[in-house]
Every structure is written in structure tokens, then in C-alpha cells.
Amino acid sequence: MKILFFTLSVLFANIAISQTHQITKHNGEELDVNFIKVENDLVYYSFNGSAEEHKISKYAVSKITNKQSNQTQKVSDKVIVDSKSDYKFVTVLSQDKTIGLKQVASFSGVSTKTKGEPPIANQNQTAMRIKTQSASNGYPFVSIVDKGDGKYEAVAYVY
């Protein structure tokens, strides 16, 4: 009887401390984790036995599945960019929101400056040009870093 009780207690202890969620990324990778929260376009989680909080971009995550109840929460849709005309599907992200995405290319250039246009209009035209260039190469995400003197560097990301 003692052996049976000990075996059952070890079995239930393993279930209680195991990972409770599965994160499925758009590239097909699956992570067994303890899900914490989704906030500011980032998914926060921790690994088994660790109190350290990790984060990943919500754009890299397809869904989060609760392993105990089999409930699935969709996090983001996969963005497919095939041609230059798909520029409107390219998402401009800040550098801290690219965690979990794969950097594939970088390109630089000079921002558009039209006389009489406000600075925000110039930024929008530059962003449009970068999104079009990114879409023509099939990259769904881009991060833009202003370098000063009207120059920029853009970094493209995929799943």
C-alpha cells in the first residue's frame, strides 16, 4: 500500500510541476512552457523550474494551447508576402518587438525630403518605400532605424 501511495504521489507531483502550455510558432517550432501573459505585442513565458521570464514577439507565435484543458488561443495570423503589391501587409516593428523572428536582410538609404512637407509626411513616404522594397523580396516584417542626416537602415525579418 505504501508503494502504491508513493507511486501515485510521484506521478501527480510530475503533472503539477510540468509545463502547462504549448506555444506553436509560425515556422512550426513548438515550445513547452508556462505561459504568463500577452502584453504590448509580446508573449511572456517561463520554462519549467525557472522563475526567469522570457519573451517572444506575438507576430512569431501562431497559437498557445493549454495542455490541461486543450483550449487553444490564437495569437496572430501568418502573413504571406508574395509580391511588391503586398506592401500593405508588411508590418513595421520596433527593434524590441522582433524577438523570435529571423533577421534575413538589411538595407539602407536616404529618407525622402520634399520641400514644404511636414516631417511626418517624409517619414511616411520613407516607410512606404521600405515596405515596398521589403514586400518585393518577400519579407513580412521590417524594422527601421533612423541614422540622422536623413539616412536610415532597415532590417527585414521572416518567421
Side-chain angles (χ1 to χ4, degrees):
M1 188 65 156
K2 289 181 184 179
I3 295 172
L4 178 64
F5 178 71
F6 178 74
T7 306
L8 288 175
S9 64
V10 168
L11 177 67
F12 287 119
N14 279 341
I15 292 172
I17 62 172
S18 66
Q19 288 92 356
T20 59
H21 292 84
Q22 183 175 47
I23 292 178
T24 305
K25 295 171 62 176
H26 286 293
N27 65 2
E29 186 180 343
E30 294 179 343
L31 303 171
D32 290 328
V33 300
N34 295 318
F35 170 70
I36 299 172
K37 64 183 174 182
V38 176
E39 185 176 82
N40 296 329
D41 293 337
L42 294 170
V43 176
Y44 294 86
Y45 63 92
S46 66
F47 289 109
N48 188 24
S50 173
E52 185 178 354
E53 193 173 86
H54 299 276
K55 55 188 171 183
I56 187 170
S57 174
K58 82 169 195 174
Y59 299 104
V61 177
S62 172
K63 62 184 176 181
I64 300 172
T65 304
N66 184 332
K67 292 166 92 178
Q68 294 170 345
S69 66
N70 277 341
Q71 290 180 329
T72 300
Q73 173 187 357
K74 187 174 189 175
V75 177
S76 68
D77 292 320
K78 186 169 186 173
V79 179
I80 298 172
V81 179
D82 289 332
S83 66
K84 190 175 184 176
S85 63
D86 290 337
Y87 71 91
K88 54 189 157 285
F89 300 123
V90 174
T91 306
V92 178
L93 301 173
S94 60
Q95 201 66 29
D96 62 328
K97 303 250 185 337
T98 60
I99 300 168
L101 296 171
K102 182 178 160 188
Q103 180 179 339
V104 290
S106 67
F107 40 94
S108 58
V110 179
S111 298
T112 304
K113 292 196 180 217
T114 306
K115 189 174 182 177
E117 290 283 329
I120 190 72
N122 292 333
Q123 290 174 348
N124 289 341
Q125 288 177 349
T126 301
M128 181 69 73
R129 188 170 358 121
I130 292 169
K131 288 171 73 172
T132 304
Q133 183 176 357
S134 184
S136 65
N137 292 321
Y139 306 138
F141 304 103
V142 67
S143 176
I144 303 170
V145 179
D146 287 324
K147 294 263 185 180
D149 292 341
K151 297 181 181 178
Y152 67 86
E153 181 178 359
V155 181
Y157 295 90
V158 295
Y159 296 110

